[in-house]
Amino acid sequence: MDQPLKSPPLSALDDLFHAMVARSRSAPPPELAVRRARLTRLRDLIAVNEARFVETISADFGHRAAAETTIAETLFLLTEIKHTIKRLAGWMAPRRIATALQFWPANNRLIPQPLGVVGIMAPWNYPLQLTLAPAIGAVAAGNLVMIKPSELTPRFATLLKELIAAAFEPTELVVTGIEDGVAQAFAQLPFDHLVFTGSTRVGRIVAEAAGKNLTPVTLELGGKSPAIIDVSADLDEAAQRIAYAKLLNAGQTCIAPDYAFVPEAERDAFAACVHNHMLGMFGSNPANTDYTSIISERHYARLEDLAQDAASKGASLLQRATPDNPAWRRLRKFPPTVVVGATPQMAIMQEEIFGPLLPVMGYRDRSEVITYINAHDRPLALYWFGTDAAARNEVLARTISGGVTINDCLLHFAQINQPMGGVGTSGTGAYHGQWGFDTFSKLKPVFYRSPLNRMADLYPPYGAKIKWIEKLLRWMS
Ligand code: NAD
């Protein structure tokens, strides 16, 4: 699809949204069986069309390794749906909450309730996972859902739109807004909750638009996630794991290790080791089908500029081929690159890389690393490698990030019982598993008063009665 999709009248988007709001306000919350049936339809849609998703996403990227689409997208979602269907009854049930002594006998319950209409705005890098993973939580919580995929994956967006339209009523779950110029109008709709996954820059714009409606937002943003190699680390093992996490999806992963901090004396050896692992895993041949392309010419050129800027400021590049090599460029495969001796003055250390380049910086002592991380935006992920528990705990206690994996990369994201989300400029809020269900629910506190308790009868005239109630409350406080 070379031409941008034609813009529909924005009033159509508005009409659809208002029809969904009306539906959400005019019927009782969907029962367990309805929610399970919706999730089952989503599961079948993914399972039956897995090969089409693999093919279509690959066509949008130029090339996307099939295993990366199945592992990080389709299988990830199927696992999430299975987990959700199995536990949904428990999540939907009113939750018992303790009642303070002065209100006994009485009951407190926290009742999960659908918020209404949830909007989902997704990026291009894992287009299926990042549209449907929030949708699973939102549907499970009983909401109606409107999804807006990225314009950079138009073939995928068209396929998802068609498949969802065939399986769901348009006011139940719908894909829209992929047409050119609709993104801003979508962000301005007064959703009951809006999930935005994308860059920190656009996240600011979306949060501002949502703020005008007082729409609560979950912002899943980006940033520079450090990998710290402690002196106690197994250098080769750390290098292999970082090389893989950096090259998965050709580095176009929000939680990819962005750069590495290595003890000064081992910096060059580590850099060479990472590069060897990169070549070993993804080869030095651009035709390798395990290695994914860069999403567009513009993104490729940006990565090329980052490498050139670093080289011009004194870094040495470990690269099997230069990115202007026609064999690589034609396929938009960016040669795996290690940037040795990166400094904070280089552009590559100032913006999220989002590509297969790993800057390696040397450090002398741990506090230098902690000071550096704390002087910059809060990262979405942090990776620490080593065996020294005291050193590990110091880094854990003194830095804050969206999540952490110790002695590997990415794997905290795959923990279905843990929340996924950033902090500060890397994001707000979280989802996955029950965290998603709770994010997309109003957890409504309800107090059931007992006729046997007279403590709350505080009506005037206060007289002597209030004195002993006051005395009791004072004693309890
Ligand atoms: P992006 O911010 O350019 O786009 C994200 C979405 O915003 C797209 O749907 C796009 O159409 C829409 N958009 C663009 N401009 C807009 C505007 N002015 N108003 C309203 N909407 C607008 O991000 P991207 O390039 O698609 O994705 C890459 C970024 O996403 C990286 O920074 C990456 O770290 C981040 N990301 C974060 C996570 C996470 O879970 N935290 C996951 C994947 C990607």
Side-chain angles (χ1 to χ4, degrees):
M1 193 158 313
D2 301 313
Q3 295 297 315
L5 296 161
K6 259 187 98 180
S7 230
L10 290 183
S11 63
L13 184 69
D14 244 17
D15 291 348
L16 177 60
F17 174 74
H18 288 296
M20 293 175 90
V21 171
R23 176 171 177 171
S24 76
R25 272 44 172 185
S26 63
E31 289 174 358
L32 175 64
V34 173
R35 302 187 197 191
R36 278 195 172 144
R38 288 177 183 167
L39 290 168
T40 305
R41 268 182 279 155
L42 258 188
R43 184 193 63 200
D44 293 347
L45 181 156
I46 297 164
V48 170
N49 296 289
E50 188 171 35
R52 291 177 78 189
F53 282 124
V54 167
E55 195 183 302
T56 312
I57 294 173
S58 185
D60 278 333
F61 271 75
H63 174 76
R64 155 67 94 73
E68 293 181 352
T69 302
T70 50
I71 289 168
E73 308 222 53
T74 55
L75 294 176
F76 178 92
L77 290 168
L78 293 173
T79 307
E80 180 94 14
I81 293 176
K82 185 174 178 190
H83 176 85
T84 302
I85 289 179
K86 198 165 161 196
R87 288 161 183 80
L88 188 53
W91 297 348
M92 285 171 66
R95 302 174 195 181
R96 275 174 188 280
I97 303 290
T99 306
L101 190 62
Q102 64 269 35
F103 297 105
W104 281 13
N107 288 308
N108 269 310
R109 294 287 181 274
L110 199 56
I111 300 185
Q113 214 172 8
L115 290 168
V117 183
V118 172
I120 296 172
M121 304 182 74
W124 52 265
N125 63 328
Y126 290 93
L128 180 64
Q129 190 215 113
L130 296 168
T131 43
L132 294 192
I136 292 167
V139 165
N143 297 285
L144 306 173
V145 181
M146 208 184 226
I147 296 174
K148 195 211 85 61
S150 167
E151 303 81 350
L152 287 171
T153 44
R155 295 172 186 82
F156 158 77
T158 305
L159 174 66
L160 186 70
K161 184 176 176 157
E162 275 169 26
L163 295 175
I164 296 266
F168 291 88
E169 294 162 33
T171 54
E172 200 178 29
L173 175 61
V174 69
V175 176
T176 181
I178 50 177
E179 303 81 359
D180 201 33
V182 178
Q184 291 172 23
F186 190 95
Q188 286 162 10
L189 292 172
F191 289 106
D192 295 301
H193 192 102
L194 180 59
V195 187
F196 170 84
T197 308
S199 62
T200 301
R201 181 186 71 79
V202 178
R204 281 203 174 89
I205 299 172
V206 169
E208 205 177 320
K212 292 208 169 103
N213 301 314
L214 295 182
T215 290
V217 286
T218 299
L219 301 173
E220 301 283 342
L221 310 177
K224 293 185 79 64
S225 300
I228 305 167
I229 317 300
D230 189 64
V231 284
S232 63
D234 176 329
L235 217 61
D236 183 59
E237 188 179 81
Q240 182 183 31
R241 293 174 182 182
I242 290 172
Y244 173 69
K246 187 66 171 181
L247 295 194
L248 177 77
N249 206 26
Q252 302 164 110
T253 302
C254 58
I255 51 169
D258 188 276
Y259 61 97
F261 260 128
V262 185
E264 189 70 52
E266 290 168 329
R267 187 194 73 178
D268 293 0
F270 175 83
C273 194
V274 176
H275 194 237
N276 280 338
H277 279 297
M278 284 176 163
L279 298 181
M281 276 185 270
F282 289 89
S284 40
N285 177 1
N288 179 1
T289 52
D290 285 343
Y291 194 43
T292 293
S293 300
I294 301 302
I295 189 75
S296 77
E297 269 304 321
R298 177 169 64 82
H299 289 74
Y300 195 97
R302 186 184 69 83
L303 296 174
E304 211 172 353
D305 289 348
L306 289 181
Q308 270 169 13
D309 174 77
S312 74
K313 289 176 181 156
S316 48
L317 305 186
L318 304 184
Q319 248 174 1
R320 178 56 66 90
T322 53
D324 61 358
N325 179 309
W328 291 79
R329 184 155 215 138
R330 190 173 51 79
L331 299 170
R332 280 205 313 274
K333 302 264 184 101
F334 198 93
T337 303
V338 178
V339 179
V340 193
T343 65
Q345 289 69 39
M346 298 171 182
I348 201 164
M349 288 309 298
Q350 293 166 2
E351 60 187 78
E352 182 181 4
I353 299 168
F354 225 56
L357 300 92
L358 182 78
V360 177
M361 300 213 292
Y363 70 87
R364 275 173 293 277
D365 70 89
R366 203 154 59 235
S367 61
E368 199 184 309
V369 174
I370 293 172
T371 305
Y372 182 91
I373 292 170
N374 287 340
H376 290 80
D377 285 346
R378 292 177 159 177
L380 182 59
L382 182 143
Y383 303 114
W384 188 90
F385 289 84
T387 52
D388 177 344
R392 178 196 66 208
N393 291 344
E394 188 183 353
V395 170
L396 280 177
R398 293 188 52 204
T399 61
I400 177 164
S401 56
V404 174
T405 293
I406 300 291
N407 284 323
D408 210 329
C409 297
L410 313 177
L411 295 179
H412 64 284
F413 183 87
Q415 307 310 308
I416 203 157
N417 294 311
Q418 291 265 46
M420 167 63 199
V423 55
T425 53
S426 61
T428 302
Y431 70 101
H432 284 186
Q434 188 175 359
W435 300 91
F437 178 90
D438 287 358
T439 290
F440 303 120
S441 297
K442 164 64 189 166
L443 296 177
K444 187 162 74 179
V446 179
F447 176 68
Y448 297 84
R449 193 187 157 160
S450 158
L452 300 176
N453 183 302
R454 312 292 346 153
M455 282 274 291
D457 294 348
L458 298 173
Y459 327 113
Y462 293 127
K465 173 189 69 178
I466 205 78
K467 290 276 178 260
W468 77 259
I469 291 180
E470 253 185 51
K471 226 181 202 168
L472 189 67
L473 291 176
R474 224 174 275 289
W475 173 74
M476 289 172 75
S477 64

